[in-house]
DNA sequence: CGCCCTCTTGAACCAGTTCAAGCGCAGTGG
DNA sequence: CCACTGCGCTTGAACTGGTTCAAGAGGGCG
């Protein structure tokens, strides 16, 4: 925790960074930090939702276990996002489990503190509303993709969202296993592997540093338009 | 419009019915009604979001047109739900189109009125927050289903959600075409038809009045239990 | 009556899964 | 140091769920 940015400054936190100083101070005073290793659970589905969380560092997944034993990965959350507000503020059980998929640090805020802050500060509720709308945006995108795009297209879109430029090269560095990417995209690991194989003809290569992409436009082409079929050349 | 319930009583509206009388009166005074026939657009995607809507009567769909021409039906909204709050309150363009799929009546509220009400009444923002969380619930369910269930299972779940008892019989009355159900479930119309055919052996029959279900438990069984027991794995 | 529109059915085809085998690599223990 | 093992990832072959294309049945309506 020693090198972690002081949370009060909250540069990377969409909730705290937009709250006023008083709100930040109050909330942080009420909270504690949680440190999780990869694979550790933050909370389980269908347990009482008493705390809200802000991801300070790391990556979290939210998932559900279906009655038939299958696991549905709802979302992969980067640092800066929030967890559990929705269930806790409604006094419900958690509607999905949350688990660290990379070493993570979380700020744990009791619902009661959030409740009090909402009552005290009208802007704060508005903040949470904006926050929840961003969450909805992502879910809309997922639903759209799952209903109308193939696995390869969803992968292409995923890579385009995660790609970062580094001295002239385009890299996607996954801080978690491909397994999880597969589940998130609604594919089996084998299918993801094949999807990557298809993109290989379009300049998507796995290197030591991560996944390197030669031609972003070609990827965009694929993610948008199945008919381009540039990558089918070989088959 | 003469026989429509006075909106101030707002029995069926999760936003207005939970707001206090003052808020209701103010908002309704600022608003006007819109009447749409089946197929008429309320607003198009990527146009400025200046109004929020409450569905007073009817059914609406929200959809996106993808670059390749495909239409993704995001949600089917019954009376009582809201439309456009998310985009309007953020001052964005509408992130999806909205269209009547049955004759509908909507209350059109300018964002400015909502904004003012939020500022004036701290409970109102909290109300919208709760509302948006319910929206998220539904999207979570969809993502879960799309990632982990087959078309037949999704249909079974859909029917279970829409079924109503009427003098001892279980009926699903669809106020819109099957075509739309297919799109909502992420299937082609032909596949939906086949899915119905499969459920026919489980006591799901199309009658004149609608879709009649003999055995709810059998349907639940199907929606939950992929008949493949994928648990072989003896250590 | 014929026309349109929705829904259904059939057959070929494609996308993604399942099962099984194999590879590369990190960690462990001899 | 190497061999063993476990795990993440890949690949192949057979298979299933869903799509596509095409044809046909039924119902409402001018």
């Amino acid at each position: 925790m020693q090198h972690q940015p002081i949370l009060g400054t909250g540069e990377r936190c969409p909730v705290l960074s937009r709250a006023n100083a008083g709100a930040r101070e109050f909330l942080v005073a009420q909270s504690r930090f949680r440190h999780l290793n990869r694979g550790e659970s933050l909370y389980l589905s269908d347990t009482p939702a008493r705390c809200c969380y802000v991801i300070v560092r790391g990556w979290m997944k939210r998932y559900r276990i279906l009655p038939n034993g299958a696991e549905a990965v709802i979302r992969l959350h980067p640092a800066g996002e929030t967890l559990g507000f929705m269930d806790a503020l409604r006094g419900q059980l958690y509607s999905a489990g949350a688990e660290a998929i990379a070493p993570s640090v979380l700020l744990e805020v009791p619902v009661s503190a959030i409740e009090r802050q909402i009552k005290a500060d009208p802007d704060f509720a508005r903040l949470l509303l904006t926050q929840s709308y961003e969450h909805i945006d992502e879910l809309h995108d997922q639903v759209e993709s799952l209903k109308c795009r193939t696995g390869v297209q969803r992968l292409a879109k995923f890579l385009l969202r995660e790609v970062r430029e580094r001295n002239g090269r385009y890299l996607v560095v996954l801080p978690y296993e491909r397994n999880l990417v597969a589940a998130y995209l609604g594919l089996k690991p084998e299918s993801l592997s094949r999807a990557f194989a298809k993109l290989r003809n379009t300049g998507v290569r796995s290197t030591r540093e991560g996944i390197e992409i030669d031609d972003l436009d070609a990827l965009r082409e694929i993610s948008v338009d199945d008919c381009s079929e540039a990558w089918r050349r070989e088959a």
Side-chain angles (χ1 to χ4, degrees), chain A residues 64 75 100 122 141 151 159 168 178 199 203 235:
Chain A
R64 288 186 187 172
R75 277 199 66 189
D141 285 346
L159 292 175
R178 291 199 173 185
L199 290 183

Side-chain angles (χ1 to χ4, degrees), chain A residues 74-165:
Chain A
I74 308 277
R75 277 199 66 189
L76 304 179
H77 296 264
E81 298 215 352
T82 61
L83 301 172
F85 279 70
M86 159 173 145
D87 301 315
L89 282 174
R90 289 190 295 178
Q92 295 184 166
L93 306 176
Y94 286 116
S95 57
E99 183 185 307
I101 54 180
S104 301
V105 182
L106 295 108
L107 186 71
E108 179 181 278
V109 192
V111 216
S112 55
I114 302 282
E115 290 281 14
R116 239 176 305 155
Q117 187 61 33
I118 290 176
K119 289 207 179 73
D121 174 8
D123 291 341
F124 191 69
R126 180 60 199 266
L127 200 66
L128 292 181
L129 194 59
T130 304
Q131 180 70 8
S132 97
Y133 288 154
E134 279 162 23
H135 196 131
I136 291 177
D137 277 335
E138 210 274 348
L139 290 169
H140 280 174
D141 285 346
Q142 275 200 64
V143 168
E144 177 197 295
S145 289
L146 289 165
K147 285 182 182 171
C148 288
R149 291 194 228 262
T150 69
V152 180
Q153 292 181 298
R154 297 201 294 274
L155 173 58
K157 230 184 125 212
F158 175 82
L159 292 175
L160 287 169
R161 212 179 45 187
E162 300 294 325
V163 74
R164 301 283 174 274
E165 189 180 344

